[in-house]
Amino acid sequence: MLDPALLAQIGTHLQRLRTPVELVAGLDDGAASRRTWELLGELAAASPLVSAVRADPEPGRRVPSFLVTRPGEDTGVRFAGLPLGHELGSLVLAILHVGGHPPKEEDDVLTRARALSGPLHFETYFSVTCQSCPDVVQALNTLAALHPDVTHTAIEGSSFAAEIEERGVLSVPSVFLDGEPFGQGRMGLSEILALLDGPAGEDDVADLTGRAPYDVLVVGGGPAGVTAAMYAARKGIRTGLLAERLGGQVLDTAGIENFPSVPRTEGTQLGAALERHVREHDVDVVATHRATAVRPPAVTGDPIAVELSNGATLASRTVVIATGARWRTLGVPGEEEYRNRGVTFCPHCDGPLFRGKRVAVVGGGNSGVEAAIDLAGLAAHVTLLEWDDALRADEVLQRSLRGLPTVEVVTGVATEEVLGDGRRVTGLRYARRDDGSVREVPVDGVFVQIGLLPATEWLAGVVGRNERGEVLVDHRGRTDVVGVFAAGDCTVAPYKQIVTSAGDGATAALSAFDHLIRSA
């Protein structure tokens, strides 16, 4: 089932196991069970400490499914369906963590995880094409491996279509706790713990606020932010990196084929590489925290203050803003109400949940046309809506689109409302821009693909921005506030690309260092 080279790589990882691990499978005679047993057999053959055990399915248990455990124990880490694609890494990590290899989490996070009150029974629905799902699956698997009263079942949604229909799962990752909805979207272990027992509390705020001022504090963990932090650290100055999630928007990107020296990679892989690289430098990484304000000093020579959502404040002599961008929304009635209940922004993640259904894609640029092409292989019908009078995507994409019989392209229209029955999306209302006529199209899902907005609202009234909210910078990455620099997709940079963002980050960090030298 797995490529021999990939199996060899997995075998190398499994050399880190400290104790034996059993993969206990509940299977039937179906094709899915046979494939599951084949996968488990290959994993068992990759390490002498891994064994695959076949058992009769338990009453009420999903089939196929399997438990990742230690012999004679029940760790509570379970997969239902085949965890291939992006989730194969989650399975390998689960085996490692159950087998004694320590998870890569901060000590205070692990302490909080072990201190939770149980029992807690989690279920996560994922798709193998989802790039956000592994973060959630791996976090909850880690929690279940650490805590004897926590269980987690990671469920491949398309293998249990009736179940996700009954539960109304229209977006992945979707997490249930004790049978009730718990959360949706990308979450790490820190965010999950915050939902379970509240924020880390006063001790965490005091620890952050009490940290010595930085020479350079970078806000943002994408290519621009990580590059800026590394360049600053290499100058031997005190450097901090504040990021809600390391990797940034890259983590939501599918295939990447235009990064120099890397013929092809996935966004999740590049994001993980960025995190590994920055942690190799002398950078104080403050992860899973969000900046809410930047305050220039009232007295010349005092540090700049960056306020966090948990009430803490970090101080620094200079600040590099690299907060990137987020999906642009339609801003029409019903969009927010039915978000994750039919309204979604990720065709790669949620497309498999709409197999055989009717969907709409809003947006005729490259992202929208690519989404329509991808969905055409899954959905019964795709309606592509574009505000302009013609599609704006590259011609090569438009040629691919024209040959798809299940795709209808409608141009020159404005989306007016997302329709629903109170539980999920049932349709979309749009108006023709030429004559104002209104039409309703029945759909089960709406994929919004109309571009990005800079994540800069927290800078309003402090740092100069244009009408789109992009931070105004000069060729050195300087803003109109002394000591504050900016880089990447949150700025007026004309091209929003990974490679240009990395270059902007380097420029901003070097400019910050130059500023420090000249103002010493």
Side-chain angles (χ1 to χ4, degrees):
M1 172 176 287
L2 299 179
D3 178 79
L6 177 58
L7 267 176
Q9 184 180 6
I10 291 173
T12 300
H13 288 303
L14 295 182
Q15 291 176 10
R16 303 170 186 169
L17 285 171
R18 299 179 179 179
T19 60
V21 174
E22 279 188 347
L23 308 175
V24 183
L27 308 173
D28 57 18
D29 295 328
S33 288
R34 289 194 295 272
R35 294 186 69 212
T36 299
W37 185 242
E38 181 183 357
L39 172 64
L40 300 187
E42 290 182 348
L43 293 173
S47 170
L49 289 178
V50 179
S51 58
V53 179
R54 184 163 184 156
D56 293 331
E58 300 176 24
R61 185 77 71 184
R62 298 176 184 89
V63 178
S65 68
F66 60 92
L67 183 69
V68 182
T69 188
R70 291 176 286 271
E73 298 183 23
D74 182 350
T75 60
V77 180
R78 182 179 293 274
F79 288 86
L82 268 173
L84 296 176
H86 294 299
E87 293 300 343
L88 181 60
S90 299
L91 172 54
V92 174
L93 278 175
I95 295 172
L96 287 171
H97 294 160
V98 170
H101 182 66
K104 291 183 178 179
E105 294 284 354
E106 300 293 333
D107 289 342
D108 61 327
V109 174
L110 297 177
T111 299
R112 291 178 66 195
R114 293 188 178 99
L116 286 173
S117 298
L120 301 169
H121 304 292
F122 289 96
E123 300 165 296
T124 300
Y125 292 91
F126 69 86
S127 71
V128 296
T129 56
C130 171
Q131 296 175 316
S132 298
C133 294
D135 281 5
V136 180
V137 171
Q138 291 168 20
L140 288 170
N141 281 346
T142 298
L143 185 58
L146 289 170
H147 201 299
D149 289 329
V150 175
T151 66
H152 177 231
T153 302
I155 307 158
E156 198 280 296
S158 65
S159 297
F160 301 93
E163 183 177 323
I164 65 171
E165 182 72 23
E166 180 182 350
R167 280 188 155 179
V169 176
L170 293 174
S171 180
V172 291
S174 286
V175 182
F176 288 74
L177 172 59
D178 297 330
E180 297 297 325
F182 174 77
Q184 290 182 307
R186 188 189 297 272
M187 293 182 288
L189 186 53
S190 293
E191 292 94 332
I192 292 168
L193 292 174
L195 290 173
L196 289 170
D197 63 2
E202 295 180 2
D203 290 344
D204 187 46
V205 172
D207 170 65
L208 291 170
T209 302
R211 297 188 184 187
Y214 301 101
D215 293 310
V216 175
L217 175 61
V218 181
V219 183
V226 166
T227 305
M230 290 192 299
Y231 265 74
R234 287 172 62 87
K235 292 296 183 181
I237 56 180
R238 178 166 164 74
T239 303
L241 175 63
L242 171 67
E244 280 193 89
R245 56 173 184 162
L246 284 165
Q249 189 186 323
V250 162
L251 297 172
D252 301 323
T253 306
I256 298 169
E257 299 178 342
N258 56 0
F259 195 81
S261 82
V262 182
R264 192 183 193 285
T265 187
E266 298 286 333
T268 49
Q269 294 172 345
L270 181 57
L274 288 170
E275 179 174 357
R276 286 194 303 270
H277 201 174
V278 75
R279 289 189 183 276
E280 290 176 359
H281 290 75
D282 188 12
V283 176
D284 183 19
V285 177
V286 182
T288 70
H289 288 286
R290 177 171 54 87
T292 56
V294 58
R295 304 295 181 206
V299 178
T300 302
D302 284 354
I304 301 165
V306 175
E307 298 174 5
L308 279 58
S309 57
N310 69 346
T313 300
L314 298 174
S316 184
R317 295 173 64 193
T318 62
V319 172
V320 175
I321 297 165
T323 45
R326 66 177 187 281
W327 292 112
R328 182 192 295 271
T329 60
L330 295 167
V332 300
E335 179 184 27
E336 191 59 34
E337 179 183 355
Y338 292 104
R339 187 165 184 164
N340 296 324
R341 294 193 289 166
V343 175
T344 178
F345 298 83
C346 183
H348 303 291
C349 300
D350 300 332
L353 302 178
F354 294 87
R355 189 180 302 274
K357 299 181 178 181
R358 299 176 65 89
V359 300
V361 176
V362 182
N366 284 351
S367 296
V369 171
E370 287 175 352
I373 292 170
D374 289 344
L375 291 166
L378 298 168
H381 187 269
V382 180
T383 302
L384 176 62
L385 304 177
E386 164 57 31
W387 187 90
D388 215 338
D389 292 330
L391 298 180
R392 295 170 287 106
D394 295 341
E395 180 58 31
V396 64
L397 291 174
Q398 294 193 44
R399 285 199 300 268
S400 297
L401 186 72
R402 295 187 194 110
L404 300 174
T406 58
V407 177
E408 176 188 3
V409 177
V410 183
T411 58
V413 297
T415 303
E416 291 198 333
E417 184 176 1
V418 177
L419 308 173
D421 60 7
R423 185 165 176 256
R424 63 181 65 190
V425 167
T426 59
L428 190 69
R429 179 181 294 125
Y430 65 84
R432 294 208 60 84
R433 293 176 46 243
D434 52 4
D435 60 13
S437 61
V438 176
R439 181 183 175 188
E440 293 182 6
V441 54
V443 294
D444 300 290
V446 177
F447 291 80
V448 181
Q449 300 284 290
I450 55 174
L452 300 165
L453 283 176
T456 61
E457 303 89 346
W458 62 289
L459 301 170
V462 179
V463 175
R465 301 182 300 159
N466 65 10
E467 66 281 357
R468 286 176 43 83
E470 298 169 324
V471 178
L472 300 170
V473 293
D474 65 11
H475 66 287
R476 293 181 178 270
R478 294 178 296 201
T479 72
D480 58 352
V481 176
V482 175
V484 178
F485 304 81
D489 287 5
C490 69
T491 75
V492 291
Y495 304 111
K496 316 298 187 184
Q497 299 291 314
I498 295 171
V499 68
T500 56
S501 291
D504 289 349
T507 297
L510 293 172
S511 295
F513 179 68
D514 183 69
H515 170 79
L516 290 170
I517 292 174
R518 296 176 184 276
S519 59

